[in-house]
Amino acid sequence: MHLHYTPEQSAFRAEVRAWMEMHVPAEPLITLECREGYDQHVEWERTLAAGNWGMVTWPEEFGGRGLDLIQWLIFEEEYFRAGAPNRANQNGIFLLGPTIMEFGTEEQKQRFLTPMAKGEVVWAQAWSEPGAGSDMAAISSKAVRDGNQYVINGQKTWSSRAAFADWGFGIFRTDPDSKRHKGLTFILFDLNTPGITRRPIRQLHGETGFAELFFDDVRVPVENCLAGEGEGWNVAMATAGFERGLMLRSPGRFQATARRLIELYRRHQAEAAPSAREAVSQAWMAAQAYAYNTYSVAAKIIAGGKIGAEASLNKIFWSELDRSMHRTAMQLLGACAELKTFDDGSVNQWLEGYIFSLSGPIYAGSNEVQRNITAERLLGLPRVGAG
Amino acid sequence: MDFRFSEDQLALAESVREFLADTHGPQVLRHLDKDGPRDPNIWQGLVDMGLTGLMVPEEFGGLGLGLAEAALIAAECGRACLAEPLVDTAFVAVPWLLAKGETGQLAAILAGVCRIPLPHAINPWVADGDGAHLKSVDPLRILTKGTGGDDPHLLDLAALMSAAQLVGLADAMLAQAIEYAKIRTQFGQPIGAFQGLKHQLASCAVAIEFAKPVVWRAAQALQDEVPTRSIHVSHAKVAATDAATLTAETAIQVHGAMGYTYEVDLHFWMKRTWALSGAWGSRAFHLNRIDNAVLGDMLELGPQATFA
Ligand SMILES: Cc1cc2nc3c(=O)[nH]c(=O)nc-3n(C[C@H](O)[C@H](O)[C@H](O)COP(=O)(O)OP(=O)(O)OC[C@H]3O[C@@H](n4cnc5c(N)ncnc54)[C@H](O)[C@@H]3O)c2cc1C
């Protein structure tokens, strides 16, 4: 156990910090969840790419820097420290990218990874369906093989940023007689393909965060299938592992929130309840614990290990931490909590953050489902209905 | 930066775990409860394993290992609900004496003929000391009246090692609850198939998973003498106490009325949890140290300071 950064790692931190200080927009961008804000965020992706910061862990040939996970964690820490914008392409770079890296052909890697790292193609995840939420094996949208094409029919929903994004990655039933986990295939498609209708869905804050997708005889070439027909479930589980595990939510994000919360507490200390004091300290502690845990997981992976169902513990922890930190902030703000903008004209980011934090325990597999997975796969408890 | 125990460290902990599982099972706890809480044979076994010399420098014949290894093994002592005062003497007193440059007792500690009680102002008792006895809820603890000075390093060392034992206790209680949940059936199925219990047990697993690295980090911080080490020790104590308390309460709930009996072993671990949660600084004491550092302006914040 060695808990010190090397001089190279510290130098790398300084490099990222200096770049972020130069480039992060002084004014926060408009929310990613409307056209104008989306465009601003895509612009930011291009700025990042110009600095070669698109996805630092990827090999150089795919637009990355070939850095290790510790450097990635440092990058993320500095990213959130600088208050840099949310990643418009997070589902591409954090979920699909690693999946293509693991399952894609050379041709697919060449074709998809570099434009992703460069922020030229923004990806939406299209898994959920009206009848298949937590129970993803209930997917019924079909892709029927016709020569060297698939013909897709059906409906996807809750697809983040799909209202504006360029490409989607979905799971479709390619074997019409199959049930549940079998006969599913992971397919990549251009969202502008004829036959796709996007219907934006207004989220509770009023903006368009996600969209429904309707597929009406949509033709997609078979070479857009990832890892072979019928392999969809296995590939999706790997992607979900990236989502819940290390990639989607790195500790830097929550440590930055904890620091902002500490500053908020200091400003409201005089009128704060004693319970807020504990809640704020808890936020610091939990964000630190999340960082330690992530560094230990990263060390394991660097040494050749893998994460499996432990990713579920992670997902439960960060999502509940995020919600409790924002709840505490709302309590500290008191009567100002409901204001969308404060007196000084600044956006109440705690309110936006609190609303968003309520979705954390739902997306990426609800926390109830994560607790089921933890109980059954990590603790070895019997499945529901086991007699 | 490498937040991992080495293969050697893990193998050492594994061998201690196996040794204690073989020699210090629940039947031993019951024997100690009935016949008196200390047993020279058990102590001798620990001495023969070399554990009393774990932190004694090699020049004095010991293994010369550090606080990270000691914390890992203290967790094993918690898992086994070990009654002998190995942790106090070998993992707290030894590094404390070394820090003060006092080496006179090391040979005797190593040989197992000297145990060192640790009086401190933070506790209104002394464990394994001499004098009038106080009764603990934990039948295997020997407490005597007395208190001592307020040496901060001793406090940090002992609080850290309490935290390490607490995560081991939590692991053991979770394992007992899981075993019971698999075999007890009601409504025609194992109770462990009910989500109401699954989710509670999963929450314990989350709490333990995220308490352990805090303990290891605190051990390394003390070992490396980083300036913020006391804060990390307090963090470890709070996180371990919370994880163990949650797991204790969940474990008894999973056992139903059986959990409320003397017959089921769980109570030994629960009682040690209650004892160690309050020992060497209550939750409030440690939380206060964190509050003052984090909310006051005493601790550097920011990503570069995560491991400072
Ligand atoms: C902000 C946001 C962004 C999203 N982005 C995307 C996206 O980009 N792409 C995409 O494909 N999907 C996306 N989703 C959808 C998300 O994956 C689903 O919401 C999630 O899988 C839950 O499905 P559901 O909403 O149908 O809820 P349901 O499955 O209907 O669940 C409702 C409730 O029942 C509980 N429940 C269900 N099954 C069980 C069980 N077995 N045991 C115990 N409790 C259970 C759930 O935990 C939940 O509390 C997004 C969702 C949100 C909120």
Side-chain angles (χ1 to χ4, degrees):
Chain A
M1 184 163 307
H2 177 82
L3 302 185
H4 301 280
Y5 292 108
T6 61
E8 292 75 27
Q9 287 165 340
S10 297
F12 176 68
R13 180 187 296 289
E15 183 191 347
V16 182
R17 186 171 291 187
W19 191 89
M20 291 293 162
E21 279 170 3
M22 289 272 289
H23 292 87
V24 170
E27 285 292 305
L29 305 186
I30 305 174
T31 169
L32 175 53
E33 290 162 358
C34 64
R35 177 85 245 179
E36 198 188 348
Y38 175 85
D39 291 341
Q40 288 185 355
H41 281 79
V42 170
E43 192 53 44
W44 166 249
E45 288 291 328
R46 309 258 155 92
T47 309
L48 273 175
N52 198 17
W53 298 112
M55 196 53 206
V56 295
T57 50
W58 291 3
E60 286 171 39
E61 55 169 326
F62 302 132
R65 290 179 177 234
L67 302 183
D68 69 19
L69 282 175
I70 302 296
Q71 288 163 306
W72 177 69
L73 288 169
I74 293 171
F75 170 77
E76 288 273 303
E77 288 165 358
E78 292 303 320
Y79 190 91
F80 287 102
R81 177 185 176 277
N86 287 330
R87 299 296 300 266
N89 211 7
Q90 62 171 30
N91 288 359
I93 52 176
F94 295 143
L95 309 186
L96 182 62
T99 311
I100 292 181
M101 214 77 84
E102 191 166 328
F103 295 97
T105 60
E106 264 324 297
E107 192 270 332
Q108 287 173 327
K109 290 182 195 169
Q110 297 291 349
R111 184 170 158 213
F112 295 116
L113 291 177
T114 308
M116 200 186 288
K118 293 203 148 94
E120 289 163 7
V121 176
V122 175
W123 288 81
Q125 178 185 17
W127 292 11
S128 303
E129 296 183 1
S134 299
D135 186 11
M136 215 176 72
I139 278 177
S140 68
S141 292
K142 289 187 187 55
V144 177
R145 184 81 181 251
D146 178 21
N148 56 3
Q149 292 183 319
Y150 286 113
V151 182
I152 302 181
N153 280 286
Q155 182 189 349
K156 295 287 177 183
T157 190
W158 317 129
S159 185
S160 295
R161 290 168 290 284
F164 315 117
D166 305 300
W167 274 67
F169 54 104
I171 303 159
F172 301 91
R173 200 162 286 284
T174 35
D175 176 356
D177 300 325
S178 66
K179 292 235 161 57
R180 308 292 300 161
H181 314 82
K182 301 209 173 71
L184 297 170
T185 300
F186 201 107
I187 298 174
L188 316 177
F189 53 91
D190 186 336
L191 277 162
N192 291 316
T193 315
I196 296 180
T197 309
R198 316 186 198 190
R199 198 176 70 80
I201 304 172
R202 251 182 121 193
Q203 295 184 324
L204 79 166
H205 47 63
E207 305 285 358
T208 299
F210 38 40
E212 276 178 299
L213 298 172
F214 298 91
F215 297 80
D216 199 3
D217 285 334
V218 175
R219 292 190 164 263
V220 175
V222 285
E223 64 260 25
N224 287 11
C225 150
L226 197 61
E229 203 170 290
E231 290 300 315
W233 184 264
N234 292 339
V235 184
M237 287 306 101
T239 312
F242 298 127
E243 185 170 21
R244 292 164 197 157
L246 205 55
M247 282 277 162
L248 185 67
R249 295 288 179 253
S250 75
R253 177 185 182 115
F254 304 108
Q255 290 179 291
T257 306
R259 288 195 299 273
R260 288 201 296 124
L261 185 62
I262 290 165
E263 284 159 21
L264 184 74
Y265 175 84
R266 286 178 184 155
R267 289 201 295 280
H268 291 266
Q269 195 154 7
E271 72 273 10
S275 60
R277 192 173 163 80
E278 171 159 1
V280 176
S281 292
Q282 282 286 4
W284 176 82
M285 284 192 272
Q288 289 288 110
Y290 187 60
Y292 304 154
N293 192 63
T294 306
Y295 272 87
S296 81
V297 171
K300 257 182 231 144
I301 295 176
I302 289 170
K306 270 193 174 280
I307 22 172
E310 301 92 314
S312 293
L313 298 172
N314 223 40
K315 200 263 150 162
I316 295 167
F317 192 81
W318 64 248
S319 57
E320 295 180 5
L321 163 63
D322 198 41
R323 185 175 58 183
S324 81
M325 288 197 289
H326 284 90
R327 182 198 312 123
T328 302
M330 292 288 279
Q331 288 166 352
L332 281 169
L333 285 168
C336 288
E338 67 169 309
L339 298 178
K340 292 182 101 172
T341 46
F342 295 123
D343 252 1
D344 62 3
S346 65
V347 174
N348 182 357
Q349 292 191 331
W350 288 113
L351 175 62
E352 284 187 1
Y354 179 59
I355 293 175
F356 184 62
S357 77
L358 297 177
S359 69
I362 300 171
Y363 67 75
S366 81
N367 286 15
E368 287 70 35
V369 170
Q370 302 313 312
R371 283 187 163 85
N372 292 346
I373 294 173
T374 301
E376 289 168 12
R377 300 215 208 121
L378 286 178
L379 307 184
L381 289 167
R383 299 180 67 88
V384 182
Chain B
M1 181 64 65
D2 186 6
F3 203 131
R4 240 174 355 131
F5 286 108
S6 67
E7 301 279 320
D8 286 352
Q9 290 170 323
L10 293 173
L12 175 65
E14 182 69 29
S15 67
V16 174
R17 181 191 301 199
E18 280 166 12
F19 173 76
L20 290 173
D22 290 346
T23 59
H24 203 271
Q27 67 294 348
V28 172
L29 299 178
R30 289 183 185 280
H31 140 69
L32 295 175
D33 189 15
K34 190 156 135 279
D35 306 325
R38 297 291 171 267
D39 179 338
N41 289 325
I42 296 174
W43 182 258
Q44 194 55 45
L46 300 169
V47 175
D48 294 344
M49 275 285 280
L51 294 176
T52 46
L54 188 89
M55 296 196 68
V56 173
E58 279 165 303
E59 53 189 297
F60 296 99
L63 295 173
L65 296 176
L67 287 166
E69 290 91 349
L72 203 51
I73 292 174
E76 295 307 327
C77 297
R79 188 190 310 279
C81 205
L82 182 71
E84 299 294 323
L86 174 73
V87 174
D88 279 4
T89 292
F91 307 159
V92 179
V94 168
W96 183 50
L97 293 171
L98 283 172
K100 293 194 294 180
E102 293 174 17
T103 55
Q105 295 172 96
L106 293 180
I109 291 173
L110 174 76
V113 295
C114 169
R115 304 176 202 196
I116 305 200
L118 302 164
H120 194 281
I122 195 95
N123 299 315
W125 42 251
V126 181
D128 286 272
D130 298 319
H133 279 239
L134 292 164
K135 248 184 163 8
S136 167
V137 65
D138 179 348
L140 307 188
R141 265 166 80 80
I142 300 176
L143 299 183
T144 56
K145 285 187 183 165
T147 176
D150 61 356
D151 186 295
H153 188 50
L154 174 58
L155 170 60
D156 278 347
L157 286 164
L160 167 71
M161 291 302 164
S162 304
Q165 291 176 81
L166 281 162
V167 292
L169 287 158
D171 263 345
M173 292 187 289
L174 181 58
Q176 289 167 35
I178 289 167
E179 276 321 300
Y180 189 74
K182 286 184 194 165
I183 54 166
R184 167 72 172 163
T185 61
Q186 283 290 278
F187 299 98
Q189 64 173 11
I191 55 167
F194 292 115
Q195 272 194 347
L197 295 191
K198 275 187 179 159
H199 286 196
Q200 292 188 52
L201 292 166
S203 294
C204 296
V206 173
I208 296 169
E209 172 84 357
F210 286 89
K212 279 182 184 168
V214 179
V215 176
W216 313 144
R217 190 264 190 273
Q220 197 62 45
L222 261 188
Q223 178 71 38
D224 295 346
E225 299 177 16
V226 306
T228 53
R229 57 190 177 273
S230 297
I231 306 305
H232 298 299
V233 167
S234 286
H235 184 185
K237 185 78 194 312
V238 172
T241 295
D242 288 353
T245 304
L246 175 70
T247 308
E249 290 176 359
T250 304
I252 183 172
Q253 186 66 21
V254 167
H255 280 82
M258 284 302 281
Y260 204 71
T261 65
Y262 210 82
E263 187 192 327
V264 163
D265 303 321
L266 176 67
H267 66 92
F268 286 109
W269 279 262
M270 282 204 293
K271 289 166 181 171
R272 185 70 48 79
T273 299
W274 300 335
L276 293 184
S277 293
W280 296 103
S282 65
R283 191 175 184 285
F285 171 86
H286 288 290
L287 197 56
N288 212 29
R289 288 215 299 192
I290 295 167
D291 280 355
N292 290 338
V294 172
L295 305 180
D297 230 347
M298 288 150 61
L299 197 68
E300 185 192 355
L301 299 174
Q304 73 289 345
T306 298
F307 292 98

